């Protein structure tokens, strides 16, 4: 397998395991699939979640690590995801969730395993566009919690993707950056000085 998944911080994994072992945390979650799961659940495929806050005028990405996401499996399928976040006291469980991004993440990871070049798997969220991508980083030995997308890295938009951006189609960062820059730049208001 040429797809590398960076190891999650041990406290992040422990916080998810603790939440999965807590009947209260599971029953209070807004995840019917997780509440209805029959059998043991396990957190798998930890992926660092980076957030793209802005693109600078020079075209540089400004990203930050927001947390770690684990797919929660029961038997042969993922039933939910668990998110962790960094607090002043360290990594802590944030919440469980379900929805289309879970299956889309699994599909994108399967597609990425077929690529002949080795990549490190991460997630990149673009909140202003309501967009989540699988970020395939070319440096497999890099710390998964740091760095910004390189021009040769690949981004695979997860479904549902914003209109005009193909889901599950790999895009080089250098090719997708101009599209995202145009969409993230607010248009001037009518009647305002240019």
């Amino acid at each position: 397998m040429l797809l590398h998944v960076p190891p999650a911080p041990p406290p992040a994994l422990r916080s998810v395991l603790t939440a999965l072992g807590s009947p209260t945390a599971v029953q209070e979650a807004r995840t019917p699939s997780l509440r209805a799961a029959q059998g043991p659940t396990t957190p798998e495929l930890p992926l660092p979640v980076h957030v793209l806050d802005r693109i600078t005028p020079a075209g540089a990405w400004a990203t930050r690590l927001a947390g770690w996401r684990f797919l929660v499996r029961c038997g042969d399928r993922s039933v939910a995801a668990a998110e962790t976040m960094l607090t002043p006291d360290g990594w802590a469980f944030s919440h469980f969730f379900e929805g289309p991004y879970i299956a889309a993440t699994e599909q994108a990871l399967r597609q990425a395993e077929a690529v002949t070049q080795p990549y490190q798997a991460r997630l990149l969220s673009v909140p202003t566009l309501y967009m989540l991508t699988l970020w395939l980083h070319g440096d497999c030995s890099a710390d998964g919690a740091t760095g910004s997308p390189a021009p040769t890295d690949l981004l695979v938009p997860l479904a549902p993707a914003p209109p005009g951006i193909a889901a599950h189609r790999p895009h080089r960062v250098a090719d997708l950056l101009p599209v995202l820059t145009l969409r993230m730049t607010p248009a001037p208001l009518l009647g305002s000085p240019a």
Side-chain angles (χ1 to χ4, degrees):
M1 179 166 124
L2 296 174
L3 188 63
H4 299 273
V5 176
L13 176 59
R14 281 194 301 272
S15 72
V16 170
L17 289 169
T18 300
L20 283 171
S22 165
T24 303
V26 171
Q27 290 305 316
E28 288 181 0
R30 293 187 176 105
T31 52
S33 295
L34 180 60
R35 288 195 312 263
Q38 298 294 316
T41 54
T42 56
E44 296 181 356
L45 294 170
L47 295 173
V49 180
H50 295 261
V51 175
L52 174 63
D53 289 320
R54 61 182 165 71
I55 300 174
T56 67
W61 297 77
T63 60
R64 63 180 168 79
L65 179 68
W68 285 80
R69 181 172 296 170
F70 299 77
L71 294 180
V72 178
R73 293 189 68 80
C74 180
D76 62 348
R77 67 183 193 97
S78 293
V79 294
E83 191 99 6
T84 63
M85 63 182 182
L86 191 58
T87 69
D89 295 325
W91 288 101
F93 171 75
S94 174
H95 62 281
F96 293 115
F97 67 94
E98 60 184 54
Y101 284 133
I102 295 168
T105 301
E106 288 183 312
Q107 179 181 342
L109 287 167
R110 281 192 304 273
Q111 288 175 301
E113 287 176 344
V115 176
T116 57
Q117 180 179 339
Y119 285 104
Q120 182 187 82
R122 303 171 177 198
L123 293 172
L124 181 67
S125 173
V126 186
T128 56
L129 300 178
Y130 301 100
M131 180 178 180
L132 183 64
T133 70
L134 176 64
W135 168 15
L136 300 174
H137 188 55
D139 183 359
C140 294
S141 63
D143 178 358
T146 62
S148 291
T152 56
D153 287 353
L154 297 178
L155 296 176
V156 182
L158 302 182
I165 297 176
H168 297 290
R169 181 177 166 263
H171 301 269
R172 285 184 48 240
V173 168
D175 298 332
L176 191 57
L177 178 63
V179 175
L180 297 181
T181 301
L182 286 174
R183 290 186 176 208
M184 291 178 69
T185 306
L189 297 174
L190 290 177
S192 63

